[in-house]
Amino acid sequence: MTEPPRRLERLLPFLRWRSALNREALRADLLAGLSVALVTLPQALAYAQLAGFPAHYGLYAAMLPAVIGTLFGSCVQLSTGPVALTGMLTAASVAPLAAMGSDAYLALAVTLGLLAGLMQLGLGLLRQGWVLNLLSQPVFTAFINAAALLICFSQLPALLGASGPRAPQLVDEANRIAEALMAPHLATLAMGLGALIALIALRRLVPRLPGVLVVVMACTALSAATDFEAGGGAVVGVLPPLRPSLHLPPLPEWHLLTGLLPAAFVLAMVSFLEAASSAKLISEKTGEPWNENQELIGQGLAKLAAAGAGTLPTSASFSRSALALANGARTGMAALISAATVVVAAFSLGQWLHHLPLAVLAAVILDAVGRLFKPASLLRVWRIDPDDGLAAGATFVATLAFAPNIQNGILTGLLLSLALLIWRSMKPRIALLGLHEDGTHRDLERFGLPHPHPHLVVLRFDGPLHFVNAARFREAVNWARTAQPDVRVVLISAAGINAIDATGLEAVRREAANLAAHGQQLAFCGLKKQVIDVLERDRLWADIAPHAVYRHERQAIDALAPLADPPENL
């Protein structure tokens, strides 16, 4: 009788909220929702600008996508909407194809979000969330650090009051910044730096205060009072009447559409890893499980909702999700209350935002993104594993070198980390074993142990036996059969072999035949069931089975000792 409701809850995760909803939970959700909304409003405007959209598009991204993301996601504290990293990726992917802010640019950016959403939704529905684990944490960390630098760099023109539009090429943008440094707009610089200092001070001194909202309101009021715009300061300006509607942009030409696919895959991967990082942290603190496939569905549907609303691609915000958790959000009602508050504020306060300086929005981005730059994390990766350190370092350098096409940086890291993984798979650890004083068989070279039998050698092979390392297996067996004089049996300690493919099976066949040709015997102990299952599907198993079913080294050595002894000793 309980199965249909459970199946329905899998399709509609928000039905699970019913068990947690009560007066106390609603009170906590109300506080959390309002707190998140107060931070979302200025961030939405800032991150829309970062993505190359008009500022008010960020408000659209904080409405319907936020609702869809929480209704169909698995972690109720996640705050879906505009985020800095997704905005930067969007701008980097589309800027080479169209002028920022143009109709063509907006259509391509919305299409990019649509493609990324379809990818996430498809992976979630097919329960293939593991694909996104191909991007290792060191590569992701390096990309975040490099992207944080580039995002901060991109905000310097607004902070300095540089004239003209953003240059599509990094070198041209650097020249524009250099010119602005020589002759900055002093009022703009003072407004931006003042806002940045105030944001940092409020966050450290009064962390529970919505510092972003306080600073934005104060700077907007100051801008209006001092007629900042008349003095040459750049402001948000007149916002058009907010008329959110559902419609998809016309699809671009086929070559542009296919050209967006790699960028869409990177966007889907990076934005989901950003969401997953928040979900994992929240799950650890609350003890509530989360499901990566369900979260893929939720985040994918949120991106589709953003595309339907004609706005920038969305993701889950780390800072706003942490704020929701800190304020005690219990269910997804907190996100619904936050989205409703954004809607009310957007329609009632839209025109008041006319005087908001763009330098203040730049300060909001610098404050939020600057905290993502953690070079110590890259040094830690290098200390732990040089291979991971190499992949992380290459990702960091490539992201900066390929800018503004920063998606190429993460693709570089992805390909290099996969190449290093294959390289490590080609060189699994092998060791000859001897009997340790504790009764186990261990690396005889490391512990200075003798061979367990004068005519038998035990070889441990640590890794799956497949096409990548089959040659390594054959080299190891040939090394083992000559490891001491008159070796009659080579025993493979196979507990570390957790898989075997056709190439690996062929390597076993050839070595068994090679040993037989030299009057020697190949034997196995500790074979796992999944390996035996593969071997049994081939005639080889009938040949090796009599000496391949031993549970451990001791049993095998005792059973094989008569076979290993020379005929004259029998």
Side-chain angles (χ1 to χ4, degrees):
M1 295 296 292
T2 59
E3 186 60 26
R6 288 180 181 174
R7 188 179 296 117
L8 190 60
E9 285 180 357
R10 285 198 293 269
L11 293 173
L12 306 173
F14 55 86
L15 294 179
R16 298 178 191 145
W17 304 350
R18 295 173 299 180
S19 59
L21 278 176
N22 53 45
R23 181 174 297 181
E24 182 183 352
L26 281 173
R27 188 182 301 114
D29 286 344
L30 178 63
L31 174 62
L34 291 175
S35 300
V36 171
L38 294 179
V39 174
T40 300
L41 283 164
Q43 282 190 348
L45 298 170
Y47 296 157
Q49 298 268 76
L50 181 62
F53 280 71
H56 66 283
Y57 277 68
L59 299 175
Y60 296 155
M63 296 176 185
L64 182 61
V67 173
I68 297 298
T70 197
L71 286 177
F72 293 95
S74 66
C75 183
V76 296
Q77 288 86 4
L78 281 187
S79 174
T80 300
V83 296
L85 187 56
T86 299
M88 178 69 172
L89 270 172
T90 301
S93 302
V94 182
L97 305 176
M100 277 194 172
S102 66
D103 290 342
Y105 177 92
L106 299 183
L108 287 172
V110 171
T111 303
L112 177 70
L114 176 68
L115 293 173
L118 288 172
M119 290 179 183
Q120 289 185 333
L121 179 60
L123 288 172
L125 290 174
L126 295 173
R127 303 297 183 209
Q128 299 298 309
W130 63 268
V131 172
L132 298 181
N133 293 329
L134 292 175
L135 188 63
S136 67
Q137 189 62 39
V139 168
F140 182 60
T141 300
F143 177 73
I144 291 288
N145 276 272
L149 283 180
L150 291 172
I151 291 172
C152 292
F153 179 80
S154 71
Q155 298 310 299
L156 293 180
L159 200 69
L160 296 168
S163 58
R166 185 191 305 181
Q169 297 301 320
L170 193 63
V171 174
D172 296 334
E173 188 70 355
N175 290 333
R176 180 167 165 249
I177 291 172
E179 292 176 2
L181 280 171
M182 299 299 294
H185 187 262
L186 295 180
T188 298
L189 183 61
M191 183 72 78
L193 288 179
L196 182 58
I197 293 170
L199 286 167
I200 295 172
L202 288 176
R203 187 177 71 253
R204 293 183 176 178
L205 300 176
V206 197
R208 296 192 65 85
L209 190 72
V212 175
L213 185 68
V214 171
V215 169
V216 167
M217 291 177 63
C219 290
T220 303
L222 179 63
S223 171
T226 59
D227 209 359
F228 178 75
E229 184 180 8
V235 297
V236 169
V238 178
L239 293 180
L242 296 181
R243 295 195 183 102
S245 60
L246 290 176
H247 66 279
L248 291 175
L251 290 178
E253 296 179 10
W254 179 250
H255 71 281
L256 290 175
L257 189 63
T258 54
L260 286 176
L261 288 176
F265 176 72
V266 171
L267 181 62
M269 180 177 286
V270 171
S271 64
F272 181 70
L273 285 176
E274 192 174 19
S277 298
S278 296
K280 288 177 183 177
L281 182 61
I282 291 170
S283 180
E284 289 172 2
K285 292 187 176 182
T286 63
E288 295 292 329
W290 75 286
N291 184 287
E292 66 177 10
N293 291 310
Q294 188 61 52
E295 204 57 58
L296 271 170
I297 292 172
Q299 291 298 313
L301 288 174
K303 283 184 174 62
L304 296 183
T311 188
L312 60 146
T314 58
S315 185
S317 165
F318 189 87
S319 61
R320 297 197 301 271
S321 299
L323 182 62
L325 178 65
N327 281 276
R330 305 276 187 87
T331 73
M333 286 298 298
L336 301 186
I337 291 168
S338 176
T341 304
V342 170
V343 171
V344 172
F347 282 97
S348 59
L349 301 177
Q351 296 311 310
W352 179 80
L353 294 171
H354 173 100
H355 296 285
L356 173 58
L358 296 183
V360 175
L361 292 181
V364 170
I365 294 173
L366 287 169
D367 177 57
V369 175
R371 284 173 279 165
L372 297 177
F373 182 62
K374 299 176 181 178
S377 61
L378 298 180
L379 297 176
R380 178 173 175 270
V381 167
W382 190 274
R383 278 199 311 272
I384 294 172
D385 188 332
D387 283 352
D388 280 342
L390 177 62
T395 301
F396 184 83
V397 171
T399 302
L400 296 178
F402 281 116
N405 299 311
I406 60 174
Q407 67 276 11
N408 293 337
I410 204 163
L411 287 174
T412 299
L414 172 63
L415 293 175
L416 181 57
S417 59
L418 291 177
L420 289 171
L421 176 63
I422 294 172
W423 170 254
R424 288 194 293 265
S425 297
M426 292 176 67
K427 301 291 183 181
R429 188 174 184 275
I430 57 174
L432 299 180
L433 305 185
L435 182 62
H436 195 270
E437 61 184 14
D438 64 4
T440 62
H441 285 79
R442 309 180 75 173
D443 187 336
L444 59 80
E445 182 179 349
R446 178 178 180 184
F447 294 98
L449 305 173
H451 286 281
H453 189 283
H455 304 292
L456 183 150
V457 173
V458 183
L459 171 69
R460 186 175 66 206
F461 189 87
D462 292 332
L465 181 50
H466 46 49
F467 71 97
V468 172
N469 58 26
R472 171 77 164 174
F473 174 79
R474 298 193 64 189
E475 292 171 1
V477 173
N478 276 284
W479 168 53
R481 75 179 186 84
T482 59
Q484 58 179 338
D486 196 18
V487 173
R488 298 177 63 82
V489 177
V490 174
L491 172 63
I492 308 297
S493 178
I497 302 177
N498 53 27
I500 187 170
D501 66 1
T503 308
L505 189 147
E506 185 61 27
V508 173
R509 185 197 312 280
R510 290 188 179 185
E511 286 314 303
N514 182 46
L515 289 175
H518 289 85
Q520 299 168 313
Q521 177 66 50
L522 181 66
F524 290 86
C525 68
L527 280 172
K528 288 184 166 61
K529 179 182 182 300
Q530 62 267 32
V531 176
I532 294 176
D533 288 343
V534 176
L535 292 171
E536 286 178 336
R537 293 196 287 270
D538 188 85
R539 288 177 298 176
L540 174 65
W541 179 246
D543 297 331
I544 68 172
H547 302 299
V549 294
Y550 307 113
R551 297 284 301 279
H552 47 74
E553 292 89 355
R554 183 72 269 164
Q555 181 190 24
I557 292 169
D558 290 343
L560 293 167
L563 182 64
D565 287 329
E568 61 269 18
N569 294 343
L570 294 177

